[in-house]
Amino acid sequence: MKAPQDVFAEYLANENLKMTPQRRIILDTLLKQDDHLSSEELYARVKKRDGSIGQATVYRTLKLLSDSGLVEPLDFADGVTRYETSYGKDHHDHLICERCGKNIEIVDETIERRQEQLAKEHGFTLLRHKMYLYGICPDCRKK
Amino acid sequence: MKAPQDVFAEYLANENLKMTPQRRIILDTLLKQDDHLSSEELYARVKKRDGSIGQATVYRTLKLLSDSGLVEPLDFADGVTRYETSYGKDHHDHLICERCGKNIEIVDETIERRQEQLAKEHGFTLLRHKMYLYGICPDCRKK
DNA sequence: GTAATTGCAAATTATTTGCATTGCC
DNA sequence: GGCAATGCAAATAATTTGCAATTAC
């Protein structure tokens, strides 16, 4: 499998865009600290490595990374978009604790199949989906 | 089944809040035109009935309606929160066309059961979930 | 060389809040 | 009558954009 950096470089070349040190650092930082970072949080980490990089560049690069398919925007219901690297990883959904924010990645073949099936029944070609389960985790329930 | 207006009135009384003409109009407008309105769109419609109602009141009332469980905020990935009335309606998920925005409401018992099951396996108490399927609808595919 | 990229600051968008006034219960 | 609600305008918060200077290819 190609390295994500190479995939990104190829994507950029294809679109007549350029690889820059800033873009390299941003992708690299995101790959390293692969939680579910917001643009803001990523910006903070990126600035530690190169203080001269601006917020706007982080936003712009995240959009490119999304378009290239390397990174996926997540949409928990709290007003901030978070990002995770999706390249080379299996698709998964999220099980989120409403109290503490704990976030567990889940996959279920039964559900995935039914989704395909449902889309088909309506004549749709399914491209992707998002599923978020919200509940209370065991730790929080005990308290 | 109680009328939504009555449910809302009861909710307000319970919380020591007050029913007002503005709140009545806002709920009524939302019930009538029950697409997936954004706060902005709802505000526009509400203003036709009473030009003196302010945006803030619409936002504030939508929050109350969400808290009361009458209305559900939706989160398609376009930066605007939309709302639908959920009272007295079965829960459903959404199948969305990425080209034309067509939005079909779907439910699937198999999926609902598996979701419960999955949450349980991780020790979570499931409160709610969101599932969005994104694809291309038959009409758009033909073009 | 030239078009894309950058950082900055100002602009936008969606939503929230402070406050003086008004109006339910 | 008293506390909640309203409308307005100003404040936030997240993200986008215009622009002059810089840089990758």
Side-chain angles (χ1 to χ4, degrees):
Chain A
M1 194 176 71
K2 290 176 205 160
Q5 288 85 350
D6 297 340
V7 177
F8 192 35
E10 277 169 34
Y11 171 80
L12 292 174
N14 243 23
E15 303 275 329
N16 285 316
L17 304 176
K18 295 166 185 170
M19 180 53 92
T20 64
Q22 290 91 332
R23 290 178 179 173
R24 241 185 287 273
I25 288 176
I26 290 167
L27 172 54
D28 192 62
T29 305
L30 188 59
L31 286 167
K32 251 178 201 146
Q33 182 88 27
D34 191 21
D35 269 334
H36 299 117
L37 295 181
S38 65
S39 182
E40 193 87 23
E41 293 162 342
L42 179 57
Y43 172 55
R45 284 178 172 75
V46 159
K47 259 212 312 214
K48 284 188 197 151
R49 292 174 63 176
D50 179 344
S52 74
I53 294 180
Q55 286 233 43
T57 302
V58 174
Y59 273 106
R60 289 187 276 228
T61 303
L62 280 170
K63 174 162 284 174
L64 287 175
L65 287 168
S66 300
D67 291 345
S68 77
L70 282 169
V71 157
E72 182 142 359
L74 301 176
D75 202 14
F76 311 142
D78 65 340
V80 214
T81 305
R82 302 177 170 283
Y83 299 83
E84 74 183 3
T85 57
S86 52
Y87 174 68
K89 303 198 177 166
D90 284 340
H91 157 80
H92 59 257
D93 293 302
H94 295 272
L95 173 58
I96 300 152
C97 176
E98 297 241 288
R99 293 244 178 92
C100 68
K102 189 184 301 157
N103 195 306
I104 295 177
E105 304 185 345
I106 53 174
V107 214
D108 184 70
E109 261 315 308
T110 309
I111 291 180
E112 305 280 320
R113 270 196 304 270
R114 279 299 298 157
Q115 288 171 335
E116 272 297 343
Q117 183 61 31
L118 272 170
K120 210 180 197 177
E121 282 169 17
H122 292 276
F124 275 58
T125 308
L126 191 58
L127 295 175
R128 57 203 181 76
H129 72 261
K130 293 183 178 177
M131 186 175 81
Y132 302 100
L133 307 183
Y134 301 94
I136 309 292
C137 77
D139 294 345
C140 287
R141 187 140 30 74
K142 277 177 209 147
K143 285 165 196 165
Chain B
M1 195 176 71
K2 289 174 205 160
Q5 288 85 350
D6 296 340
V7 177
F8 191 35
E10 278 169 33
Y11 171 80
L12 292 174
N14 243 23
E15 304 275 327
N16 285 316
L17 305 176
K18 293 166 186 170
M19 180 54 92
T20 64
Q22 290 91 333
R23 291 179 177 173
R24 241 185 288 272
I25 289 176
I26 290 167
L27 172 55
D28 192 62
T29 305
L30 189 58
L31 286 167
K32 250 177 203 149
Q33 182 88 29
D34 192 21
D35 269 333
H36 300 117
L37 295 180
S38 64
S39 182
E40 193 88 23
E41 293 161 344
L42 179 57
Y43 172 55
R45 284 179 171 75
V46 159
K47 258 211 313 213
K48 283 188 196 151
R49 292 174 64 177
D50 180 344
S52 73
I53 294 180
Q55 286 234 42
T57 301
V58 175
Y59 274 106
R60 287 187 277 229
T61 303
L62 280 170
K63 174 161 285 175
L64 287 174
L65 287 167
S66 300
D67 291 345
S68 77
L70 281 168
V71 156
E72 183 143 358
L74 301 176
D75 201 13
F76 311 143
D78 66 339
V80 215
T81 304
R82 301 176 170 282
Y83 298 84
E84 73 183 4
T85 56
S86 51
Y87 175 67
K89 302 196 178 169
D90 284 340
H91 157 80
H92 60 256
D93 294 301
H94 296 272
L95 174 57
I96 300 152
C97 177
E98 296 240 289
R99 293 244 178 91
C100 68
K102 188 184 302 158
N103 195 306
I104 294 178
E105 304 185 344
I106 52 174
V107 215
D108 184 70
E109 260 314 310
T110 309
I111 291 181
E112 305 279 320
R113 270 196 303 270
R114 279 300 296 157
Q115 288 171 335
E116 273 295 345
Q117 182 62 32
L118 272 170
K120 210 182 198 176
E121 281 169 18
H122 291 276
F124 275 59
T125 309
L126 191 59
L127 295 175
R128 57 203 182 77
H129 72 262
K130 293 182 178 176
M131 186 174 82
Y132 302 101
L133 307 183
Y134 301 94
I136 308 293
C137 77
D139 294 346
C140 287
R141 187 141 27 75
K142 276 177 211 148
K143 285 168 199 164

